[in-house]
Amino acid sequence: MAEDGYESDRAVLVLYDLKTNKRWYLTQDWDRSVQSIEFAIDGDGSNPTVFVTASEHAYAKVSSFTIPNFVTYKAVSKPKQPKFPTPKAITHSGSVHGVQALHNGKRVFSRSSYSGPKNVYLASGVSKADGNVSFTRFGVKELEGESLDHGEQFWFKGAEKGRDVQGWVFKPHGYGSSGDVADDSADGTKKHDKKEKK
């Protein structure tokens, strides 16, 4: 945070050079507050990929970006007004925690959803979350056959200059199908409701 005690401020990821006393504010232009960081184990580390977790639309997502050359190479001229790449989300459902980088671009993390507890996953690649493999299946057997609502998000215009405000609806058991696509099942797989939304 830029100001100590200003709890509503965003947490910005800062890279600090101990030799030159230079600070690089890597996520200054990103409208998210960084919750955790993890450096990928890829190559010689000259241009490392960074994984960050941040809250977005009631989810805790993992995003990634690569630190540019002008930060890591001494021979490259330093811009007066540096522009850093915007972190790109590589998870899009549930809430992800405890990201740990492994060799060959793989990551291990835990993920939970509104309808299931945390489970541990292994993902490959640094730019997308394809090929997730579940190591654990906590709650899958216990929740089998249960009708837990995945939640349905909606948006409305707020009082402050028409700003979009997000809300969530959770329907009680027996209310009926919402017709939406479930973001995440108990084991992290996609589920589609058979009833189409009109």
Side-chain angles (χ1 to χ4, degrees), residues 90-91 105-109 111 120-135 187-189:
I90 56 176
T91 62
K106 295 182 179 181
R107 307 173 306 283
V108 64
F109 58 86
R111 182 172 62 183
V120 181
Y121 295 84
L122 176 69
S124 59
V126 296
S127 60
K128 56 185 178 180
D130 293 341
N132 289 351
V133 178
S134 176
F135 279 159
D187 62 353
T189 59

Short mmCIF file of all heavy atoms in Angstrom, two decimals, residues 90-91 105-109 111 120-135 187-189:
data_model
loop_
_atom_site.label_atom_id
_atom_site.label_comp_id
_atom_site.label_asym_id
_atom_site.label_seq_id
_atom_site.Cartn_x
_atom_site.Cartn_y
_atom_site.Cartn_z
N ILE A 90 -5.55 -16.52 -15.35
CA ILE A 90 -5.39 -17.87 -15.87
C ILE A 90 -6.30 -18.86 -15.15
O ILE A 90 -6.31 -20.04 -15.47
CB ILE A 90 -3.92 -18.34 -15.79
CG1 ILE A 90 -3.39 -18.26 -14.36
CG2 ILE A 90 -3.05 -17.52 -16.73
CD1 ILE A 90 -1.99 -18.79 -14.21
N THR A 91 -7.05 -18.39 -14.16
CA THR A 91 -8.15 -19.18 -13.58
C THR A 91 -9.40 -18.30 -13.63
O THR A 91 -9.31 -17.08 -13.49
CB THR A 91 -7.86 -19.61 -12.13
OG1 THR A 91 -7.72 -18.45 -11.30
CG2 THR A 91 -6.60 -20.45 -12.05
N GLY A 105 7.13 -25.20 -15.77
CA GLY A 105 5.96 -24.34 -15.91
C GLY A 105 4.71 -24.83 -15.20
O GLY A 105 3.63 -24.30 -15.42
N LYS A 106 4.83 -25.83 -14.35
CA LYS A 106 3.65 -26.36 -13.67
C LYS A 106 3.42 -25.63 -12.34
O LYS A 106 4.33 -25.04 -11.77
CB LYS A 106 3.81 -27.86 -13.44
CG LYS A 106 3.86 -28.67 -14.73
CD LYS A 106 3.96 -30.16 -14.44
CE LYS A 106 3.97 -30.95 -15.74
NZ LYS A 106 4.05 -32.41 -15.50
N ARG A 107 2.17 -25.69 -11.87
CA ARG A 107 1.80 -25.06 -10.62
C ARG A 107 0.89 -25.99 -9.84
O ARG A 107 0.13 -26.78 -10.42
CB ARG A 107 1.04 -23.74 -10.87
CG ARG A 107 1.73 -22.78 -11.77
CD ARG A 107 0.85 -21.60 -12.10
NE ARG A 107 -0.45 -21.96 -12.63
CZ ARG A 107 -0.66 -22.37 -13.87
NH1 ARG A 107 0.37 -22.48 -14.71
NH2 ARG A 107 -1.86 -22.66 -14.29
N VAL A 108 0.94 -25.89 -8.54
CA VAL A 108 0.01 -26.61 -7.68
C VAL A 108 -0.72 -25.57 -6.83
O VAL A 108 -0.13 -24.58 -6.39
CB VAL A 108 0.75 -27.66 -6.80
CG1 VAL A 108 1.72 -26.99 -5.83
CG2 VAL A 108 -0.26 -28.52 -6.04
N PHE A 109 -2.01 -25.76 -6.64
CA PHE A 109 -2.79 -24.79 -5.89
C PHE A 109 -4.04 -25.48 -5.35
O PHE A 109 -4.40 -26.59 -5.76
CB PHE A 109 -3.20 -23.60 -6.77
CG PHE A 109 -3.99 -23.97 -7.99
CD1 PHE A 109 -5.37 -24.11 -7.95
CD2 PHE A 109 -3.35 -24.20 -9.20
CE1 PHE A 109 -6.09 -24.45 -9.07
CE2 PHE A 109 -4.06 -24.54 -10.34
CZ PHE A 109 -5.44 -24.68 -10.27
N ARG A 111 -8.27 -24.96 -4.66
CA ARG A 111 -9.40 -24.19 -5.17
C ARG A 111 -10.69 -24.67 -4.52
O ARG A 111 -10.92 -25.86 -4.35
CB ARG A 111 -9.52 -24.33 -6.69
CG ARG A 111 -10.67 -23.51 -7.27
CD ARG A 111 -10.65 -23.49 -8.79
NE ARG A 111 -10.82 -24.81 -9.37
CZ ARG A 111 -10.78 -25.06 -10.68
NH1 ARG A 111 -10.55 -24.07 -11.52
NH2 ARG A 111 -10.94 -26.28 -11.13
N VAL A 120 -6.97 -29.87 -4.12
CA VAL A 120 -5.63 -29.55 -4.63
C VAL A 120 -5.55 -29.92 -6.10
O VAL A 120 -5.98 -31.02 -6.50
CB VAL A 120 -4.54 -30.28 -3.82
CG1 VAL A 120 -3.15 -29.93 -4.35
CG2 VAL A 120 -4.65 -29.92 -2.34
N TYR A 121 -4.98 -29.00 -6.91
CA TYR A 121 -4.90 -29.20 -8.35
C TYR A 121 -3.47 -28.98 -8.84
O TYR A 121 -2.71 -28.20 -8.25
CB TYR A 121 -5.82 -28.23 -9.10
CG TYR A 121 -7.28 -28.46 -8.84
CD1 TYR A 121 -7.90 -27.90 -7.72
CD2 TYR A 121 -8.05 -29.24 -9.70
CE1 TYR A 121 -9.25 -28.11 -7.48
CE2 TYR A 121 -9.40 -29.45 -9.46
CZ TYR A 121 -9.99 -28.89 -8.34
OH TYR A 121 -11.32 -29.10 -8.10
N LEU A 122 -3.15 -29.64 -9.95
CA LEU A 122 -1.89 -29.44 -10.66
C LEU A 122 -2.22 -28.89 -12.03
O LEU A 122 -3.05 -29.44 -12.75
CB LEU A 122 -1.11 -30.75 -10.80
CG LEU A 122 0.19 -30.68 -11.61
CD1 LEU A 122 1.24 -29.88 -10.86
CD2 LEU A 122 0.71 -32.09 -11.90
N ALA A 123 -1.59 -27.77 -12.41
CA ALA A 123 -1.83 -27.15 -13.71
C ALA A 123 -0.52 -27.00 -14.44
O ALA A 123 0.54 -26.82 -13.82
CB ALA A 123 -2.50 -25.79 -13.53
N SER A 124 -0.56 -27.06 -15.77
CA SER A 124 0.64 -26.90 -16.59
C SER A 124 0.54 -25.63 -17.39
O SER A 124 -0.54 -25.13 -17.68
CB SER A 124 0.80 -28.09 -17.53
OG SER A 124 -0.33 -28.22 -18.37
N GLY A 125 1.70 -25.08 -17.80
CA GLY A 125 1.73 -23.84 -18.57
C GLY A 125 1.65 -22.63 -17.68
O GLY A 125 1.19 -22.69 -16.54
N VAL A 126 2.13 -21.48 -18.19
CA VAL A 126 2.15 -20.26 -17.40
C VAL A 126 1.17 -19.23 -17.91
O VAL A 126 1.04 -18.15 -17.35
CB VAL A 126 3.56 -19.63 -17.39
CG1 VAL A 126 4.55 -20.54 -16.72
CG2 VAL A 126 4.02 -19.29 -18.82
N SER A 127 0.45 -19.53 -18.99
CA SER A 127 -0.45 -18.53 -19.56
C SER A 127 -1.91 -18.95 -19.55
O SER A 127 -2.78 -18.17 -19.84
CB SER A 127 -0.05 -18.22 -21.00
OG SER A 127 -0.11 -19.38 -21.81
N LYS A 128 -2.20 -20.20 -19.23
CA LYS A 128 -3.58 -20.64 -19.18
C LYS A 128 -3.72 -21.79 -18.21
O LYS A 128 -2.74 -22.39 -17.78
CB LYS A 128 -4.06 -21.06 -20.56
CG LYS A 128 -3.21 -22.16 -21.22
CD LYS A 128 -3.69 -22.43 -22.63
CE LYS A 128 -2.81 -23.50 -23.30
NZ LYS A 128 -3.26 -23.78 -24.67
N ALA A 129 -4.95 -22.07 -17.84
CA ALA A 129 -5.20 -23.08 -16.81
C ALA A 129 -5.71 -24.39 -17.40
O ALA A 129 -6.43 -25.13 -16.76
CB ALA A 129 -6.21 -22.53 -15.79
N ASP A 130 -5.36 -24.67 -18.65
CA ASP A 130 -5.79 -25.92 -19.27
C ASP A 130 -5.07 -27.10 -18.62
O ASP A 130 -3.94 -26.99 -18.17
CB ASP A 130 -5.49 -25.91 -20.76
CG ASP A 130 -6.32 -24.89 -21.50
OD1 ASP A 130 -7.34 -24.46 -20.93
OD2 ASP A 130 -5.96 -24.52 -22.63
N GLY A 131 -5.72 -28.24 -18.63
CA GLY A 131 -5.09 -29.45 -18.16
C GLY A 131 -4.98 -29.56 -16.65
O GLY A 131 -4.06 -30.18 -16.14
N ASN A 132 -5.92 -28.94 -15.90
CA ASN A 132 -5.91 -29.08 -14.46
C ASN A 132 -6.18 -30.52 -14.05
O ASN A 132 -7.11 -31.15 -14.55
CB ASN A 132 -6.96 -28.17 -13.81
CG ASN A 132 -6.58 -26.70 -13.90
OD1 ASN A 132 -5.47 -26.37 -14.28
ND2 ASN A 132 -7.51 -25.85 -13.56
N VAL A 133 -5.37 -31.03 -13.15
CA VAL A 133 -5.53 -32.39 -12.64
C VAL A 133 -5.77 -32.30 -11.14
O VAL A 133 -5.00 -31.68 -10.42
CB VAL A 133 -4.28 -33.25 -12.93
CG1 VAL A 133 -4.46 -34.65 -12.35
CG2 VAL A 133 -4.03 -33.34 -14.44
N SER A 134 -6.85 -32.91 -10.69
CA SER A 134 -7.20 -32.87 -9.27
C SER A 134 -6.45 -33.97 -8.52
O SER A 134 -6.52 -35.15 -8.88
CB SER A 134 -8.70 -33.05 -9.10
OG SER A 134 -9.04 -33.11 -7.73
N PHE A 135 -5.73 -33.56 -7.45
CA PHE A 135 -5.04 -34.51 -6.60
C PHE A 135 -5.95 -35.05 -5.51
O PHE A 135 -5.77 -36.16 -5.02
CB PHE A 135 -3.82 -33.86 -5.95
CG PHE A 135 -2.62 -33.80 -6.84
CD1 PHE A 135 -1.61 -32.88 -6.60
CD2 PHE A 135 -2.47 -34.64 -7.92
CE1 PHE A 135 -0.50 -32.81 -7.41
CE2 PHE A 135 -1.37 -34.59 -8.74
CZ PHE A 135 -0.38 -33.66 -8.48
N ASP A 187 -15.84 -30.82 -7.59
CA ASP A 187 -14.52 -31.32 -7.96
C ASP A 187 -13.82 -30.44 -8.99
O ASP A 187 -12.81 -30.83 -9.56
CB ASP A 187 -14.64 -32.75 -8.50
CG ASP A 187 -15.48 -32.81 -9.76
OD1 ASP A 187 -16.06 -31.78 -10.14
OD2 ASP A 187 -15.55 -33.90 -10.35
N GLY A 188 -14.36 -29.24 -9.24
CA GLY A 188 -13.67 -28.30 -10.11
C GLY A 188 -13.98 -28.44 -11.58
O GLY A 188 -13.38 -27.76 -12.40
N THR A 189 -14.93 -29.32 -11.94
CA THR A 189 -15.27 -29.48 -13.35
C THR A 189 -16.48 -28.62 -13.70
O THR A 189 -17.24 -28.22 -12.83
CB THR A 189 -15.59 -30.96 -13.66
OG1 THR A 189 -16.69 -31.37 -12.83
CG2 THR A 189 -14.39 -31.84 -13.39
#
